[in-house]
């Protein structure tokens, strides 16, 4: 019997000169140094929105947000004896929240990128599909 694990993938964005910029993070762990959104587990006692806010606060130190956007595209796969379901969301970073504070043990660097740079920088196809949906939802496409 496989264990069911729920995770979140969070595409943080901000608006600059009427256009969205997307936050990409590069892992501090070994060779997995490709750009990615924030991601992490949903804890047993958490609701989805709480997990999103916790992950963003832990990973980049931001606790004030604007709009939360459900991208309505869960991904599901089996990895060994785990069945994983990931829920993709966009979240608007409050522009007055101050500088980012990366969780140093997890993230090596960050980049605010326009869609034309963010889309090809993402390694996983599902992340590309999610950022494309977010970009279209924001009316920027």
């Amino acid at each position: 019997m496989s264990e069911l694990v729920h995770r979140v993938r969070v595409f943080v964005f901000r608006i600059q000169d009427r256009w969205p910029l997307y936050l990409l993070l590069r892992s501090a762990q070994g060779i997995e140094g490709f750009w990615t959104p924030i991601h992490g587990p949903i804890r047993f006692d958490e609701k989805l929105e709480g997990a999103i806010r916790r992950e963003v606060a832990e990973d980049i130190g931001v606790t004030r947000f604007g709009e939360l956007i459900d991208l309505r595209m869960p991904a599901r796969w089996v990895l060994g004896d785990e069945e994983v379901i990931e829920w993709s969301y966009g979240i608007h970073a409050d522009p007055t929240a101050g500088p980012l504070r990366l969780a140093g043990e997890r993230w090596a660097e960050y980049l605010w990128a326009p869609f034309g740079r963010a889309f090809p920088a993402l390694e996983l196809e599902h992340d590309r599909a999610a950022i494309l949906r977010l970009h279209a939802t924001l009316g920027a496409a």
Side-chain angles (χ1 to χ4, degrees):
M1 175 181 267
S2 64
E3 178 184 356
L4 183 60
V5 177
H6 289 268
R7 299 176 52 82
V8 293
R9 293 189 85 71
V10 186
F11 293 83
V12 179
F13 67 93
R14 67 181 187 194
I15 305 299
Q16 183 173 312
D17 299 326
R18 297 186 343 210
W19 295 101
L21 294 177
Y22 301 97
L23 178 66
L24 302 179
L25 300 166
R26 190 183 307 263
S27 176
Q29 306 298 318
I31 61 172
E32 294 182 24
F34 54 85
W35 294 107
T36 183
I38 291 172
H39 55 274
I42 300 172
R43 295 179 180 156
F44 181 71
D45 59 343
E46 278 184 315
K47 295 196 183 318
L48 191 57
E49 186 172 330
I52 292 166
R53 293 181 183 280
R54 176 188 50 76
E55 281 295 330
V56 173
E58 288 177 358
D59 285 5
I60 62 172
V62 174
T63 57
R64 293 193 322 254
F65 313 103
E67 183 179 16
L68 180 65
I69 300 170
D70 182 352
L71 297 176
R72 301 186 188 282
M73 49 186 311
R76 185 180 206 133
W77 68 89
V78 176
L79 187 62
D81 62 347
E82 289 184 340
E83 182 176 0
V84 179
I85 301 175
E86 281 193 327
W87 306 91
S88 295
Y89 277 77
I91 194 165
H92 187 197
D94 183 334
T96 64
L100 301 184
R101 293 183 317 277
L102 293 184
E105 71 285 348
R106 183 155 188 208
W107 304 113
E109 61 182 315
Y110 72 90
L111 168 70
W112 285 104
F115 179 78
R117 182 165 181 204
F119 180 84
L122 291 166
E123 181 76 17
L124 301 177
E125 191 61 39
H126 185 75
D127 286 343
R128 288 186 189 147
I131 202 170
L132 180 60
R133 179 165 293 175
L134 176 58
H135 194 65
T137 300
L138 295 174

